[in-house]
Amino acid sequence: MDVIIGQLATGLSSGSILLLAALGLSLTFGQMGVINMAHGEFIMAGCYTAYVIQQFVAASGAGLAISLVAGFVVGGILGVILEVLLIRRLYARPLDTLLVTFGVGLILQQVARDIWGAPAVNVEVPEFLRGNMVLLGASVPYTRVFIFLLAVACVAALMAAMRFTPMGRRIRAVTLNRDLAESSGINSRRSDLTTFFIGSGLAGVAGVALTLIGSTSPTIGQSYLIDAFLVVVVGGLGQLRGAVIAAFALGILNSFFEYSTTASVAKVLVFVTIIVFLQIRPQGLFAVKTRSLA
């Protein structure tokens, strides 16, 4: 029983990381149909933001809180710059956004290498997150528990913002029907910019969270980008609740596969499971009519 609890806890923590990486991606694709291949580099920017802040603030709860806020702002600003300079001109050409953002991602990786070098760097984990907690007989690292709670908090905050704030209602209106929203007086371009800031900011938060469980390198974002896209596709394009279910389901599935096989075989089995699922339900868990699917 403790083995099942342990693998379940590992799967939930892995799913939390996937969810943090996929939240912003799902948000921006749902509204604008942008295939943002630079999303992984926004995650990387969040990692290095935590590393830089560590040089000035000792590893502590306050330092982590500052890093999370700064990671969100840095990721958001990078997203806004990308949207204003490039993406805004390519909204009707989704495949071009893929190529352009892929190139931007490569440039950001090289910038990171020029500034911090190619070798990986580490961010010190705060004292209160070191060690393990015992959960129903299974040992679970505090860092994994914190990342799970952080993912839950981000989802709750995002859903509350979408449901109860004027900004969220404008974003939902543009996502459901851009033309009708514009005819109702909603500035869809401003809504796009806000969505890109939030989505990219969430990638920065994901990056800060990743520094709690591993080293930071210029290519760290690429390690999670493909899995994040899989979460978005399985959950349904632009569907936050679908992304939540898909992230945790894939994390738990990978955890149990990995326990009985190896990490490489588990990854293959997860891919096969996704392919079989998409053959049965190609629209993902949930589907909504967006501009990209209209």
Side-chain angles (χ1 to χ4, degrees):
M1 185 63 183
D2 57 334
V3 172
I4 295 176
I5 297 297
Q7 293 307 116
L8 193 60
T10 302
L12 285 175
S13 63
S14 301
S16 302
I17 296 170
L18 282 179
L19 179 58
L20 284 173
L23 267 182
L25 207 56
S26 178
L27 190 66
T28 53
F29 193 91
Q31 177 170 330
M32 293 167 277
V34 173
I35 304 173
N36 184 13
M37 295 298 289
H39 193 77
E41 277 58 51
F42 295 162
I43 295 174
M44 178 265 291
C47 294
Y48 278 110
T49 299
Y51 176 71
V52 170
I53 288 178
Q54 180 184 257
Q55 313 304 314
F56 302 98
V57 182
S60 62
L64 180 58
I66 294 172
S67 296
L68 288 171
V69 174
F72 181 83
V73 173
V74 170
I77 290 175
L78 286 175
V80 167
I81 293 173
L82 178 64
E83 201 274 346
V84 171
L85 295 182
L86 296 173
I87 298 297
R88 181 167 293 185
R89 296 165 173 77
L90 302 170
Y91 276 138
R93 296 146 59 188
L95 291 181
D96 288 348
T97 64
L98 186 152
L99 295 174
V100 168
T101 54
F102 180 72
V104 170
L106 293 178
I107 293 172
L108 290 177
Q109 285 183 31
Q110 188 57 48
V111 170
R113 285 191 188 92
D114 292 341
I115 297 175
W116 292 287
V121 297
N122 291 306
V123 175
E124 191 176 352
V125 177
E127 181 72 31
F128 73 98
L129 289 179
R130 297 171 190 170
N132 301 320
M133 67 177 292
V134 177
L135 181 65
L136 298 176
S139 181
V140 183
Y142 284 122
T143 51
R144 295 280 183 171
V145 177
F146 176 80
I147 291 174
F148 173 74
L149 296 176
L150 179 64
V152 171
C154 287
V155 171
L158 187 58
M159 288 188 167
M162 288 294 168
R163 188 173 182 84
F164 301 114
T165 67
M167 173 201 71
R169 286 192 284 271
R170 286 194 292 270
I171 290 175
R172 283 193 293 145
V174 174
T175 301
L176 292 173
N177 193 315
R178 178 175 292 268
D179 293 335
L180 184 59
E182 288 178 343
S183 67
S184 302
I186 295 175
N187 187 332
S188 63
R189 290 306 180 199
R190 184 180 299 173
S191 179
D192 292 340
L193 196 62
T194 304
T195 302
F196 224 88
F197 177 80
I198 296 173
S200 303
L202 288 170
V205 172
V208 175
L210 285 176
T211 61
L212 298 175
I213 59 172
S215 300
T216 296
S217 69
T219 58
I220 186 173
Q222 292 299 313
S223 305
Y224 293 90
L225 184 62
I226 301 301
D227 288 341
F229 268 116
L230 290 176
V231 168
V232 174
V233 171
V234 172
L237 301 180
Q239 289 293 295
L240 293 182
R241 56 178 176 167
V244 173
I245 295 172
F248 286 125
L250 294 182
I252 292 172
L253 203 60
N254 187 75
S255 173
F256 280 95
F257 281 149
E258 198 169 315
Y259 177 76
S260 53
T261 58
T262 64
S264 300
V265 174
K267 183 74 77 178
V268 172
L269 291 175
V270 170
F271 280 146
V272 171
T273 305
I274 291 172
I275 291 171
V276 171
F277 172 77
L278 292 177
Q279 293 299 314
I280 300 171
R281 193 172 173 79
Q283 73 273 31
L285 289 172
F286 301 97
V288 66
K289 184 179 180 181
T290 66
R291 184 179 66 163
S292 62
L293 300 176

